[in-house]
Amino acid sequence: MSQRRAAPSTLTPMTDWPRVQLHVVTGKGGTGKSTVAAALALALAGEGRNVLLCEVEGRQGVARMFDVDPLPYAETRIATGLRTGPEEPGSVYALHIEAEAALLEYLRMYYKLGPAGRALDRFGVTEFATTVAPGVRDVLLTGKVFEAVQRNSRNKGARQYDAVVLDAPPTGRITAFLNVSESVAGLAKVGPIKNQADTMMTLFRSPRTAVHLVTLLEEMPVQETADGIGELRGARLPVGGVIVNQVRPRDLPQEALAAARKGSLDRAEIGGDLAAAGLQPSDEMIEGLLAEAAEHAERRALEDGQRTVVQGLGVPTYELERVAGGIDLGGLYELAASLKQQGMA
């Protein structure tokens, strides 16, 4: 049975994820996971809520999407949240997390190594540590996200967030990235790094976290999404929803699509419609339109098949239509509104 909810006609405060504080967004490369993460942050930041949007892949994609200067390793306000009612919306802050900077902060917070930590950085020790030991790198990256969700006495005066959205690595790496306790098992059996990894897992495996997967209605992304859900469940990490991105609008009714696939569209009717629009239809023009219609109908049939697979994954699903002309800030707000309408935020 489909898990997809029909979108209501007006914005609603209802959400499918009322207990979730950490929304992890992943997806196969090219599916638009960073765009979805940004839109989700805007949707969550309505009605006075402050949200932190984190990125860990070093591409400064958030800065480009929001048309702001490259982000520093500091929480920076980048946008106002989606307005969903009479109450003023909150703000979206962003954080570009770098492993090297996170390591220096870790040394300062846990080992009181301020200037000494910077000296290590000058000698290239931090780069060595975060490159040679990828498990440690993931602990540092996810550790900063953990700290933003669960702030304590070490973070006096730090801003508290109602939600944190993580633009995470792709689906193929997401389980290893979040399963930090397993990642460092071969590097540290005891000690502060192992303890921190174990502590983070209590959050990542709790109902306060949801890992959402972004896909397209294409065979490879859908299969990778299904595999990713299986791996996450195997690691006891909480699966959230599946967001089907870049859905094409339905320009033709089902009957016309079926006729297009069979090659039985009425040529005379098409010619009449073209003439009524002020065009002079030729056989070549009509043949071209029929070929395009058949191709469109075939693609639709393939997409519908993949939609059935997605709906059989047993998790809530959401659909975002393709935004004409590419994604700018206005487009992000459109997608945010759609996520809100469908109950994701």
Side-chain angles (χ1 to χ4, degrees):
M1 181 182 294
S2 169
Q3 299 288 314
R4 182 170 177 259
R5 293 170 31 148
S9 58
T10 58
L11 293 175
T12 169
M14 298 296 291
T15 171
D16 294 339
W17 314 100
R19 299 175 62 190
V20 173
Q21 291 176 276
L22 174 58
H23 296 264
V24 180
V25 180
T26 185
K28 180 177 170 58
T31 59
K33 70 175 179 64
S34 297
T35 299
V36 172
L40 178 58
L42 287 171
L44 289 167
E47 300 176 350
R49 293 163 55 87
N50 289 328
V51 174
L52 179 65
L53 173 60
C54 300
E55 63 177 0
V56 294
E57 294 186 276
R59 298 176 307 177
Q60 288 287 352
V62 170
R64 288 193 295 273
M65 282 188 289
F66 286 87
D67 195 22
V68 298
D69 293 333
L71 297 171
Y73 183 66
E75 295 159 24
T76 307
R77 186 183 183 280
I78 59 170
T80 299
L82 176 72
R83 180 179 288 277
T84 59
E87 190 174 339
E88 286 296 317
S91 296
V92 174
Y93 294 79
L95 177 62
H96 178 77
I97 306 176
E98 297 176 342
E100 290 78 9
L103 177 56
L104 292 176
E105 183 178 15
Y106 178 85
L107 293 173
R108 176 180 58 80
M109 292 177 65
Y110 291 90
Y111 292 94
K112 311 302 181 185
L113 292 180
R118 289 190 291 274
L120 290 175
D121 189 42
R122 286 197 296 272
F123 285 107
V125 174
T126 57
E127 183 179 0
F128 174 81
T130 56
T131 302
V132 174
V136 172
R137 180 185 182 89
D138 288 349
V139 170
L140 293 167
L141 294 173
T142 53
K144 184 61 180 176
V145 176
F146 171 84
E147 177 268 316
V149 176
Q150 195 156 304
R151 290 190 154 155
N152 53 35
S153 59
R154 289 192 177 94
N155 316 113
K156 291 180 181 178
R159 183 177 291 104
Q160 299 288 327
Y161 293 103
D162 298 285
V164 175
V165 178
L166 172 59
D167 178 12
T171 312
R173 208 172 84 75
I174 189 61
T175 299
F177 178 76
L178 291 176
N179 198 12
V180 288
S181 186
E182 185 72 22
S183 297
V184 302
L187 300 169
K189 302 295 184 183
V190 295
I193 291 181
K194 179 65 165 63
N195 292 339
Q196 185 183 18
D198 290 344
T199 301
M200 289 190 295
M201 291 309 300
T202 62
L203 169 66
F204 297 160
R205 285 189 171 136
S206 78
R208 297 167 60 199
T209 296
V211 184
H212 308 294
L213 300 96
V214 182
T215 187
L216 305 178
L217 289 176
E218 297 174 5
E219 185 175 358
M220 287 185 64
V222 169
Q223 183 60 55
E224 188 162 315
T225 298
D227 293 342
I229 289 174
E231 291 173 4
L232 288 165
R233 287 175 173 162
R236 294 185 291 119
L237 291 163
V239 177
V242 172
I243 303 96
V244 180
N245 196 23
Q246 300 181 30
V247 174
R248 301 169 189 272
R250 289 193 172 274
D251 299 321
L252 294 175
Q254 201 63 38
E255 297 78 8
L257 289 172
R261 290 188 71 197
K262 295 178 183 177
S264 59
L265 287 173
D266 192 324
R267 297 172 60 94
E269 184 178 353
I270 293 173
D273 289 342
L274 291 171
L279 300 174
Q280 295 182 350
S282 63
D283 289 341
E284 184 179 3
M285 180 185 296
I286 293 175
E287 285 294 336
L289 290 173
L290 289 172
E292 288 185 17
E295 182 180 347
H296 175 77
E298 188 63 34
R299 177 176 291 277
R300 273 284 177 211
L302 293 173
E303 289 178 350
D304 287 343
Q306 294 304 314
R307 180 179 281 108
T308 300
V309 175
V310 169
Q311 292 173 347
L313 294 175
V315 298
T317 64
Y318 312 86
E319 293 195 0
L320 293 176
E321 289 192 359
R322 183 189 298 270
V323 177
I327 296 293
D328 55 11
L329 187 55
L332 287 176
Y333 278 108
E334 285 183 35
L335 297 178
S338 181
L339 291 175
K340 183 72 175 176
Q341 288 172 343
Q342 294 177 71
M344 189 171 184

